[in-house]
Every structure is written in structure tokens, then in C-alpha cells.
Amino acid sequence: MPNIDDVMDKPSVASSMFTAWMECNVVNGDAQKLTYVEFPTKFVWKRGDWIWKPREVGKCSGRIHLVSPNLGEAYFLRILLNKVKGLKSFEEIRTVNGEEYSSFRDACYALGLLDDDKEYIDAIKEEICLNRRLFGKTHENIWQMEFFITNDRDSSLQFDLCPPDLSLNEDQLKSLTLFEIEQVLLRNNSSLKSYKNMPFPDVDYVSSSNNRLITEELDYEISVMKIEFDRMFLALTNEQHHIFLDIMSAVKENKGGIFFVYGYGRTGKTFLWKTISATIRCDCHIVLNVASSGIASLLLPGCRTTHSRFIIPFELTEDSVCKINPNSDLASLLKKKPH
Ligand SMILES: Nc1ncnc2c1ncn2[C@@H]1O[C@H](COP(=O)(O)OP(=O)(O)OP(=O)(O)O)[C@@H](O)[C@H]1O
């Protein structure tokens, strides 16, 4: 068994990387310009000597271990260490404008670090950038911020659920973000339902986001589509306008119906159909445009041949059916209800 004096004499007992950082701040002016996290960018830890020395080569970034807010003082100490520079003693960490506070928490308040949700939001940002694990503590403001970060297309965050190249609308992104948060919370024996005011993911969106056919049908630039719709709608002739209103009332009231629009060539049938498609897509609803031939399908945006879209067999008999697997993406697309 080791002698207690030998243990106490070990350099690791008297000095840790953290205390050595404070010692370095006492003697080194450059060190005083850095937070603890920034320190390894300019200084390097000499393990055998238990001291920090100015960095001569290489690059390094620092990070303090994540601390749950449930750990109280350790959490507030971590916040301070991410902010304050050149600390020389534990007392100094708790000192703000010459006044020494009894806790790290009070020092955080004195520095105004807890006046809003910024610290929580920064912690979420940090988590997303580094590990993609989300922070357990959450409420509505933070959720909004979290969504904002996730919604940033430049962010490195990508969902496990869907292919990265798919573009999702805002509601789908919100639901996916909530779904990911819910997964993390479930792993920690919690749930979004335990947090007042937190929304819950829309299950329909989550499954839709994983369906390439659905996301493709919703992948229209709404602002561009609106401009296009306004232009066409204002240009409709009286006759086109009447047909437009008839069809759209059937759509809006969910009545369904079959409309047969006929007319001589170049009388504006395609124009009318484009206007109808645009207004429905502007509302983020799905329009499946189909045409009987490949050439005709080129006339409408997002149009496919009827055979290809509904998998209609070429050889038709009395018993022919569309070969759509009920569990397929196509079946989900056809069953997708407007939200
Ligand atoms: N209300 C309108 N205002 C302005 N342009 C229109 C309008 N209606 C149709 N057009 C234009 O007239 C031309 C012919 O229209 P469109 O292609 O829609 O006719 P169509 O009935 O579908 O023709 P076809 O039966 O030959 O395919 C197009 O260039 C279209 O942009």
C-alpha cells in the first residue's frame, strides 16, 4: 500500500491542468487574454512538468466537459470558465467587479449571464456543433432557437431519418427536430410531454419526411410559386376563372370530383391547369399531375405519365390493377392527407 505522504507529494495532487492554468495566468500576460477553453490554442500542456508552456507548433482547440444544469455549481462554474479570462484563483472566479460572491451561480447572475436563455441556447449550439446530442433542459424559447439552428442549412446537423439532399419544408423540419429531441429525451427516461408548452412532433410529418416521393412533391419554392400563381390568376379569362373556382371549391371543401375540361387547341387548358396546380402547391399540398404521353407530361411542372405514376400495366385486361405495394412510398404518397 502506498505511503500517504508519497501520495500527497505527487505533483498531480498539488497541480492539475486547471490549477496550473491559474498559476500561468499569474505570470504570463498573454495567458491572461484567454478563457480556459481558448487556452490550448496558444499554450500546450507539459505532462511531465505539470505546467502550461506557450505553444510553438500545431493547432488545438479546447473544450470543457459538458455539465448538466442539474449539477448546480459545477454547471455555473463551466459557464464562467467559458466567459472570463485570466483567472488566478478560485476566489477570483466568483469575483465580479471587485465583489466576491458566495457561489458560482451568483457570480453568473452578477455578470448578467443568466438574464435570458442565452446560456442554454449556447449550450445547445455547442452540442449540435460538437456531438449532435441535444441538451436535456429545454423549454419553448429554447425550442424556437433550437429549431432556428437546425433550420440553418449551413449547419452541420443532418437528420438520421432522411437523406441529406432532400429539402424539407418548415413544418417537416420542425417535426423532425422535435422527433430527434424526443429520441434523446426518451433515452434519458423523459419525454417532450413532460415539458409544459413544448410541442410534440407530428408523426405524419416524420414518416413523410422519410418518403422521397412525398418530399419531392412538396419541394417547390413557395415564394416563386406564389409570384407565378398571381401572374397567371390575374390573366385568367372569364371562362378559365369559372372553371378555376369550380375545381378549387371541390378541392378546398374536400368534396372530390371529376372535371373534364375540353376545348380547341391553344384555348388555355394547360394554362388553367398550371394555375390550379400553383395555388394548391402554394398551400404546401400535393398535386400529382399526370398526362397520357411523355411529350404531354413535359407541358406541366412536376408531371409524369399516368402509367409511370400509378404503375398501370401496359397489357390491360378486365382484371388489371395498378401494381402498388400498400407499404410502398408510392402508396403513402397517394394516401397522404392534406394537413
Ligand atoms: N388567360 C391567359 N392569359 C395569358 N396567356 C394565356 C392564357 N391562356 C392561355 N394562354 C397562353 O396561350 C397559349 C396556349 O395555351 P395552352 O397551352 O394553355 O392551351 P391548350 O388549350 O392547353 O392547348 P393544347 O390543347 O394545344 O395543348 C400558351 O402560350 C398560354 O401561355
Side-chain angles (χ1 to χ4, degrees):
M1 188 155 151
N3 182 313
I4 187 71
D5 290 332
D6 291 344
V7 173
M8 294 307 290
D9 284 344
K10 276 190 174 178
S12 58
V13 172
S15 177
S16 66
M17 286 170 94
F18 184 65
T19 52
W21 167 64
M22 292 195 281
E23 282 159 19
C24 188
N25 283 333
V26 176
V27 292
N28 191 313
D30 289 337
Q32 291 165 14
K33 294 176 194 151
L34 304 168
T35 63
Y36 188 51
V37 177
E38 292 162 346
F39 208 64
T41 60
K42 298 275 164 36
F43 287 79
V44 63
W45 177 242
K46 293 288 166 192
R47 189 173 287 276
D49 303 333
W50 297 91
I51 51 167
W52 289 94
K53 285 203 166 157
R55 176 178 289 280
E56 281 160 16
V57 286
K59 285 185 181 168
C60 183
S61 59
R63 188 184 180 217
I64 308 176
H65 282 292
L66 271 181
V67 179
S68 161
N70 299 333
L71 288 179
E73 278 295 271
Y75 172 72
F76 296 111
L77 172 61
R78 185 182 189 278
I79 292 178
L80 288 168
L81 291 178
N82 275 311
K83 298 282 170 198
V84 286
K85 298 176 179 175
L87 297 171
K88 300 177 194 74
S89 67
F90 281 99
E91 292 72 36
E92 204 179 317
I93 303 174
R94 284 188 269 108
T95 303
V96 180
N97 295 331
E99 186 175 345
E100 187 183 327
Y101 289 85
S102 57
S103 67
F104 296 127
R105 180 174 177 276
D106 289 348
C108 281
Y109 270 111
L111 280 169
L113 297 176
L114 302 177
D115 290 347
D116 52 26
D117 296 324
K118 191 172 175 307
E119 290 312 313
Y120 297 133
I121 290 163
D122 283 350
I124 291 172
K125 271 185 183 172
E126 192 183 357
E127 263 301 86
I128 288 173
C129 293
L130 289 163
N131 282 329
R132 297 188 64 253
R133 291 193 314 251
L134 298 175
F135 205 44
K137 187 171 176 71
T138 180
H139 60 60
E140 209 177 358
N141 291 349
I142 297 171
W143 148 243
Q144 292 298 347
M145 184 61 194
E146 155 58 18
F147 174 66
F148 174 75
I149 298 162
T150 310
N151 204 9
D152 176 1
R153 299 306 172 98
D154 295 333
S155 144
S156 58
L157 181 72
Q158 286 175 348
F159 296 103
D160 294 333
L161 283 165
C162 59
D165 55 329
L166 279 185
S167 72
L168 304 168
N169 65 36
E170 188 169 314
D171 286 332
Q172 286 175 317
L173 270 175
K174 270 190 181 169
S175 270
L176 278 178
T177 310
L178 284 167
F179 181 80
E180 293 248 337
I181 294 172
E182 177 68 357
Q183 299 308 302
V184 175
L185 291 176
L186 287 175
R187 284 200 290 276
N188 290 288
N189 298 323
S190 185
S191 164
L192 283 168
K193 289 177 181 160
S194 330
Y195 295 89
K196 210 176 141 211
N197 299 331
M198 276 299 291
F200 202 72
D202 181 328
V203 178
D204 188 35
Y205 272 140
V206 173
S207 58
S208 304
S209 306
N210 204 18
N211 181 334
R212 180 176 287 274
L213 295 181
I214 293 178
T215 48
E216 272 172 9
E217 289 303 333
L218 294 170
D219 191 16
Y220 287 92
E221 194 70 58
I222 303 294
S223 53
V224 176
M225 188 66 71
K226 277 205 165 101
I227 294 169
E228 184 68 358
F229 167 71
D230 287 344
R231 183 187 66 78
M232 293 188 294
F233 183 72
L234 287 175
L236 289 180
T237 62
N238 279 345
E239 200 176 10
Q240 286 169 327
H241 193 248
H242 280 307
I243 303 170
F244 176 89
L245 292 182
D246 279 353
I247 296 177
M248 283 314 295
S249 93
V251 172
K252 290 215 161 119
E253 290 160 34
N254 211 10
K255 288 192 295 206
I258 297 175
F259 296 84
F260 183 65
V261 181
Y262 62 96
Y264 293 113
R266 313 288 292 166
T267 49
K269 301 181 292 293
T270 311
F271 189 87
L272 171 65
W273 198 246
K274 279 184 186 166
T275 316
I276 292 169
S277 304
T279 186
I280 298 173
R281 284 173 177 156
C282 281
D283 288 341
C284 294
H285 293 157
I286 289 176
V287 183
L288 298 181
N289 281 328
V290 289
S292 51
S293 72
I295 300 269
S297 74
L298 298 175
L299 297 174
L300 286 168
C303 190
R304 300 266 298 267
T305 66
T306 322
H307 280 80
S308 129
R309 170 56 82 203
F310 299 116
I311 321 187
I312 301 172
F314 283 105
E315 298 287 330
L316 289 178
T317 67
E318 238 179 304
D319 309 315
S320 295
V321 286
C322 297
K323 291 182 181 162
I324 301 172
N325 181 330
N327 299 319
S328 64
D329 281 359
L330 179 57
S332 305
L333 171 68
L334 299 178
K335 284 187 286 189
K336 174 111 180 66
K337 294 194 195 99
H339 55 270

